[in-house]
Amino acid sequence: MENLLTIIVVISVWLLFCVAMWRIHIARQRNNISADTSLLITYASQTGNAQAIANRYAQALHLSEMANVVALNHLSIENLSSVDQVLFIVSTYGDGEAPDNGNLFIKRIQNAIKNTVKLNHLKFSVIALGDTGYPKFCAFGYQVHQSMLDIGSEPNNEVIAVDKYNEQTTTLASITPRWLNIQEVNETSTKTNSPQYWQLTERLLLNPDCDDEKLFQLTFTSIGPTPSWQAGDLIDIQPHQPKAVVNQWLQAHQYDGTQLLTYQGHQQSLSAWLAMRELPNNCTYSINELLDNLPTLTTRSYSIASISEQGQLQLIVRLLEKEENSFGLASGYLSNNCSVGAIVQGQIRSVSTHHQIDNTVPLILIGAGSGLAGLKAQIDARAYFKTKLNKPTGPTWLIFGERNSHSQLPINKYLLTLEESNLAKLSCAYSQDSKQAKYVQHILADEEAMLKQWLSEGAVIYICGCLSGMGESVHNTLIELLGQEKLTELQCQQRYIRDVY
Ligand SMILES: Cc1cc2nc3c(=O)[nH]c(=O)nc-3n(C[C@H](O)[C@H](O)[C@H](O)COP(=O)(O)OP(=O)(O)OC[C@H]3O[C@@H](n4cnc5c(N)ncnc54)[C@H](O)[C@@H]3O)c2cc1C
Ligand SMILES: Cc1cc2nc3c(=O)[nH]c(=O)nc-3n(C[C@H](O)[C@H](O)[C@H](O)COP(=O)(O)O)c2cc1C
């Protein structure tokens, strides 16, 4: 009997060993490219695009996201020394600067060069994401390319500069360097997601006291099953031209807007098609050439102000006012032109750098105006964690900037409701209440001791809203109060997260 047991144990151990070896063999086969060329993919991304591309490549090339994909700030000289090929996918942020998760890299390379390090064995390619609307187009991508040349690495190709990357319309193949051999990329993993549609169910003006900078809270329900998203994610909204603009354009160019046109399998009137298109002053196309030639309006990103468990998608949109009676395209569409009940096209974009907040540590949320959207989603996520999942959460402190403290204003009622249910501390800065305007950075300075106390207890700082003005002032104040070194340390620990635009 004892002998039989020993035989069974030996055979079981042998079988387990064989299964383990088989799995390693399969994994090696799958990771063929990594094994053959030691390819590393690295990204620097502020709002998730570059990171999503990096992950799509990893998936398409059967590489492991854990082993082969790394944020640029975590890429060491040792990592670079031990691979043959590196693919950089980096966006540009601020005024031609690095995204927060890539801002240590250039210095790291420069230090290595000072220490006479050479990376002559290494070949690289840079895919740079940017927007030609900014003066320093793809500046950080070019800086990364130059740094790699400086350290002796060999480029596979010139910088591939991608303007206004959009997951819906930009295929991987169109931005892939030739040496990656896109034919090998699995077709299904490079396909874009199908478009998502949302019905506007409510629109609420949050600051009726303001003549400009109006803030609207919009609520949508999904057409079809509600997709899932997390606090910190964005939605890319497809704007529409105002009806009057389309009609005027049709008249000026003598097209019949009521004519039905079938395009890519859908039929609707020409004016409905043109609502989503750029309408240039000079246009000589025939009616049947229009849809092939007029570019679709660029989508605009919005922070989602709710979590998917709530079953509704909320946005907080600031109406951008231009000349008299003219508004920004997307904010005007959402705040004014799109009626309650209308269907809006919007694609959720996951921003995983915003997901990594530990719900059990203290959280300091800082923002102003439309930044409330991203902050509210974080508050809702914690409330869900606490009440629905019955898990302990760390305290939340909201530091928020608005104009007017009047308690009957919807925005202030809204903040009070948040405070009563989910906040340990609410500090508001009102810019129009006293002779001297008060902003969120002033609260940070006034509450320096409390800020340091929370940080010593492991707090995460999360900032949401405009970069110019609020975001920059808060950043500079934090440097003054904590020092650049401490702020960099917090950033590396993912305890200083900027969701600013
Ligand atoms: C990550 C992120 C999160 C955001 N979250 C919010 C939020 O929660 N709430 C909020 O109110 N706003 C948010 N914004 C700002 C928002 O995306 C819009 O910029 C803002 O609403 C103004 O857009 P508009 O279309 O009304 O104005 P427009 O002036 O029509 O457009 C604004 C921007 O779109 C681009 N653009 C305009 N025309 C063109 C064109 N022809 N081709 C290419 N690009 C063009 C330009 O960059 C322009 O500056 C966020 C922005 C980002 C990047
Ligand atoms: C606040 C802000 C600043 C930006 N600054 C620049 C810039 O200076 N130069 C540029 O080419 N693109 C700039 N962009 C555009 C981004 O690089 C582009 O949207 C890119 O797709 C973002 O990729 P990510 O999601 O990986 O961060 C900026 C975008 C934002 C939101």
Side-chain angles (χ1 to χ4, degrees), residues 294-470:
L294 299 183
T296 303
L297 293 168
T298 327
T299 58
R300 315 288 201 255
S301 309
Y302 292 90
S303 309
I304 304 177
S306 57
I307 55 170
S308 51
E309 286 81 357
Q310 293 168 318
Q312 292 180 325
L313 181 121
Q314 275 188 355
L315 304 182
I316 296 176
V317 175
R318 182 169 77 86
L319 176 60
L320 181 66
E321 290 185 40
K322 299 195 165 177
E323 296 115 44
E324 203 145 306
N325 280 336
S326 131
F327 303 108
L329 210 51
S331 62
Y333 169 57
L334 291 169
S335 314
N336 260 341
N337 308 333
C338 161
S339 47
V340 172
I343 309 292
V344 169
Q345 188 179 334
Q347 209 68 23
I348 286 174
R349 176 146 51 102
S350 169
V351 187
S352 49
T353 43
H354 298 164
H355 296 165
Q356 290 150 3
I357 302 173
D358 178 350
N359 279 316
T360 63
V361 304
L363 178 62
I364 304 171
L365 299 171
I366 306 169
S370 60
L372 184 57
L375 307 180
K376 154 84 166 33
Q378 296 292 343
I379 295 169
D380 287 352
R382 287 206 152 197
Y384 180 80
F385 192 73
K386 186 173 165 188
T387 53
K388 294 282 185 327
L389 303 181
N390 227 347
K391 296 196 176 155
T393 53
T396 307
W397 176 11
L398 173 61
I399 302 174
F400 190 69
E402 246 306 306
R403 288 190 163 185
N404 189 327
S405 65
H406 199 292
S407 62
Q408 288 313 305
L409 287 176
I411 179 92
N412 293 328
K413 286 188 185 169
Y414 189 78
L415 289 171
L416 279 181
T417 319
L418 287 180
E419 183 188 17
E420 277 160 18
S421 49
N422 300 310
L423 296 177
K425 187 169 164 64
L426 170 66
S427 309
C428 288
Y430 299 106
S431 60
Q432 294 189 347
D433 261 8
S434 57
K435 279 191 186 142
Q436 206 183 1
K438 194 158 186 176
Y439 297 104
V440 279
Q441 63 271 23
H442 300 135
I443 293 185
L444 288 175
D446 292 349
E447 300 262 23
E448 180 178 352
M450 180 72 82
L451 171 73
K452 288 181 172 165
Q453 174 68 30
W454 277 55
L455 287 173
S456 72
E457 288 161 15
V460 170
I461 299 176
Y462 190 97
I463 304 174
C464 192
C466 278
L467 174 60
S468 68
M470 191 279 300

Side-chain angles (χ1 to χ4, degrees), residues 12 28 34 42 93 95 99 113 128 163 169 214 240 298 311 322 344 347 366 368 406 419 458 472:
S12 308
R28 279 199 181 138
S34 161
T42 180
Y93 189 57
D95 181 21
I113 294 171
D163 188 18
T169 50
K214 291 201 183 320
H240 280 212
T298 327
K322 299 195 165 177
V344 169
Q347 209 68 23
I366 306 169
H406 199 292
E419 183 188 17
E472 280 167 354

